[in-house]
Amino acid sequence: MVKKWWKEGVVYQIYPRSFKDSNNDGIGDLQGIIEKLDYIRSLGADIIWICPVYKSPNDDNGYDVSDYRNIMDEFGTMADFDNLLKSIHDRGMRLLMDLVANHSSDEHRWFQEARKSRNSPYRDYYFWKTGVNGRPPTNWPSFFGGGTWEYNEATEDYYLHLFTKKQPDLNWENPKVRREIYDIIKFWFDKGVDGFRMDVISLISKRLEFSDVNMDNYGEIIEKQYANGPRIHEYLNEMNREVLSQYDIMTVGEGPGIHLENAMDYVDENRHELNMIFHFDHMFIDNGPGGKFDPVPYKLTCFKKIFSDWDQQLKDGGWNSIFLGNHDFSRMLSRFGNDGQYRVESAKLLATLLLSLRGTPYIYQGDELGMTNVAFEGIKDYRDVETLESWKAAESSGHDMGHFLTVIHAQSRDNARTPMQWTGDVHGGFSAVEPWIRSNPNYAEINVASQEADPGSVLHYYRKMVSYRKANPTLVYGDYQCLMEDDPNLYIYERWDDDHRFLIALNMSEQHLLVDLLTQVHGELEVGNYNERNTPGELRPWEAKVFRIV
Ligand code: TEU
Ligand code: CA
């Protein structure tokens, strides 16, 4: 396996709006991130991914860019950015930015010009179609509810937007658009940025027939109609040739619609496209036919199989990214762990999982504290456009809104966007004023300051697990094999290479279990999430054990 810094690194993901507010206007900012760089480094993370910080009207919190070469006013200035980048490099860390190139903001100059007339030189920067009998060109559903076409008076036709109507899709068929994007990428690389996470990059090549969909499963629509379009690999290959390959950088493509069978087309090192992707098989595991706001129970056996299948699929010349949460999903602890009685144990167990699989691990801000979902009492405290749009849609289709609020509690992206909990002070030390989104009231117990002082805390465990991974490259590059695949409570796997072998045993249940296989282990318990020792074969609720096999 080819060795690379981006395979060995541990990424820390920052959602800047919610990370640290340095000037007390209620919004996180670049100076706030600078203040906390030593904290991030203390975790052992060495790559920082910041969600978009470009100029934006914030219809979708920065995923609607109106100027790709400037910084959002609330976040600071370009001087602050340069300072941030230098401060990161000074500490031996690297910075990944977020490239949002499937769509721009409708307030971007290109779109402002394009929408003025059919003769605008920018018209072909976007997709325009006339309606059919007074209706939109296709019946496509958008990611956040409603359709994907918005009528434009001046040109008497519709433009395409797979996300909100303030996020018109860019037309990559147009070589000028591609040139613009490559120039933007170059602009940031020339500043010294170390890579990009590429937002919904799987969607950039459209199926130009623009035919109606007749599928009702949203996941299927994404995969078959929106993602993996006919020219996707041509574009990625071109981008690689024109810019990416000229720098020592990393890329991770966000890949809704990418599945096991086509993943290697994106990440095979011989194809020169992307280094790795984020797939969503485990993140959509609880989506029902109606999508994320129609959740269904899932089985641990399926969860394990997803990780095993992906490892198998990418092991020859590909590479995986390992993540259990980000700014688009509820808190990983509340989803995959236990945010009640076993909060601390299960947060540590999930850290063990995240940091012992093959692939580059991504820690989402606050997960290193075991931050949990929030349950605001009413819709008025929610901010996320997806949540608000789904609420409206549910209301107009006559849903039981009391019940729908409980779904929002479980599934809203705002669960991951409440302010980072630094201290037990007001607003969790995020800001001195009321933040743009309310803090999770549990900041009083769950915060950095109290966990710094407690050697048994989730935070200290993350530090231990990151440094354990770094000390044992077998955990980075070594082979992976799942054992007892059919067990409904246990996730047990081995990692090995020619020199070392590890066995990782995770009890993802509240039961006390006795595991035969572990009683036969010849090895040392090197990491565990309980203080008091027990016999090797016993696993207490949410117990995690890492053995070095001898
Ligand atoms: O997300 C793309 C994506 O697949 C999400 O829309 C996902 O389906 C949804 O959030 C699940 O709830 C990216 C960004 O990460 C997200 O924040 C943006 O809103 C979106 O693209 C549009 O840019
Ligand atoms: Ca601020």
Side-chain angles (χ1 to χ4, degrees), residues 226-241:
Y226 301 163
N228 313 309
R231 297 182 69 187
I232 179 73
H233 297 294
E234 181 194 331
Y235 297 157
L236 291 175
N237 195 268
E238 180 185 83
M239 183 199 288
N240 190 295
R241 199 173 54 241

Side-chain angles (χ1 to χ4, degrees), residues 60 63 103 144 197 199-200 254 256 292 327-328 386 413:
D60 187 15
Y63 284 95
H103 44 269
F144 300 149
R197 174 265 189 187
D199 192 58
V200 289
E254 195 207 19
K292 75 182 282 186
H327 63 293
D328 288 336
E386 179 188 64
R413 303 198 294 186

Side-chain angles (χ1 to χ4, degrees), residues 64-65 68 102-106 108 111 126 166-168 170:
D64 47 326
V65 180
Y68 290 92
N102 172 70
H103 44 269
S104 72
S105 162
D106 65 337
H108 194 289
F111 190 76
Y126 299 90
K166 287 185 67 62
Q167 295 168 295
L170 283 162

Side-chain angles (χ1 to χ4, degrees), residues 184-208:
I184 290 164
I185 298 176
K186 254 181 90 33
F187 171 85
W188 292 100
F189 283 166
D190 289 341
K191 276 188 175 284
V193 163
D194 303 287
F196 275 103
R197 174 265 189 187
M198 301 189 179
D199 192 58
V200 289
I201 201 71
S202 52
L203 310 184
I204 57 177
S205 162
K206 311 300 185 213
R207 291 180 177 78
L208 302 174

Side-chain angles (χ1 to χ4, degrees), residues 269-390:
E269 61 196 11
N270 297 315
R271 291 176 54 100
H272 307 288
E273 295 189 14
L274 300 172
N275 295 144
M276 61 189 118
I277 54 140
F278 292 123
H279 74 79
F280 290 110
D281 283 358
H282 58 307
M283 301 306 281
F284 291 167
I285 194 170
D286 57 355
N287 286 14
K292 75 182 282 186
F293 295 108
D294 178 26
V296 294
Y298 71 93
K299 292 198 171 73
L300 183 66
T301 46
C302 299
F303 181 86
K304 294 189 283 189
K305 186 168 187 309
I306 291 169
F307 286 96
S308 303
D309 287 348
W310 278 88
D311 184 82
Q312 173 70 22
Q313 195 74 18
L314 300 180
K315 69 181 193 191
D316 298 312
W319 190 249
N320 207 356
S321 50
I322 306 293
F323 73 109
L324 295 166
N326 63 28
H327 63 293
D328 288 336
F329 294 91
S330 41
R331 282 282 170 187
M332 73 175 198
L333 175 66
S334 300
R335 278 189 99 180
F336 302 121
N338 173 309
D339 63 10
Q341 187 183 355
Y342 297 108
R343 187 184 69 81
V344 171
E345 291 80 2
S346 68
K348 292 177 180 175
L349 177 144
L350 293 173
T352 315
L353 175 64
L354 189 64
L355 292 157
S356 67
L357 288 169
R358 176 157 52 184
T360 301
Y362 290 73
I363 301 171
Y364 179 66
Q365 68 181 45
D367 284 346
E368 76 277 20
L369 308 175
M371 278 179 64
T372 69
N373 281 354
V374 72
F376 294 134
E377 272 164 39
I379 194 67
K380 71 165 191 3
D381 286 324
Y382 286 88
R383 298 286 174 268
D384 165 34
V385 65
E386 179 188 64
T387 305
L388 302 179
E389 292 296 321
S390 315

Side-chain angles (χ1 to χ4, degrees), residues 394-460:
E395 237 172 5
S396 61
S397 63
H399 263 74
D400 166 352
M401 295 313 284
H403 172 254
F404 200 71
L405 186 63
T406 65
V407 176
I408 295 292
H409 288 164
Q411 299 293 81
S412 171
R413 303 198 294 186
D414 281 337
N415 282 307
R417 299 177 180 187
T418 59
M420 178 72 180
Q421 296 168 194
W422 295 106
T423 69
D425 299 337
V426 64
H427 311 307
F430 164 75
S431 176
V433 304
E434 186 67 34
W436 69 278
I437 186 171
R438 282 178 53 198
S439 299
N440 190 320
N442 67 17
Y443 67 74
E445 311 116 66
I446 305 173
N447 62 68
V448 174
S450 66
Q451 295 198 21
E452 288 285 7
D454 169 11
S457 65
V458 177
L459 175 60
H460 281 287

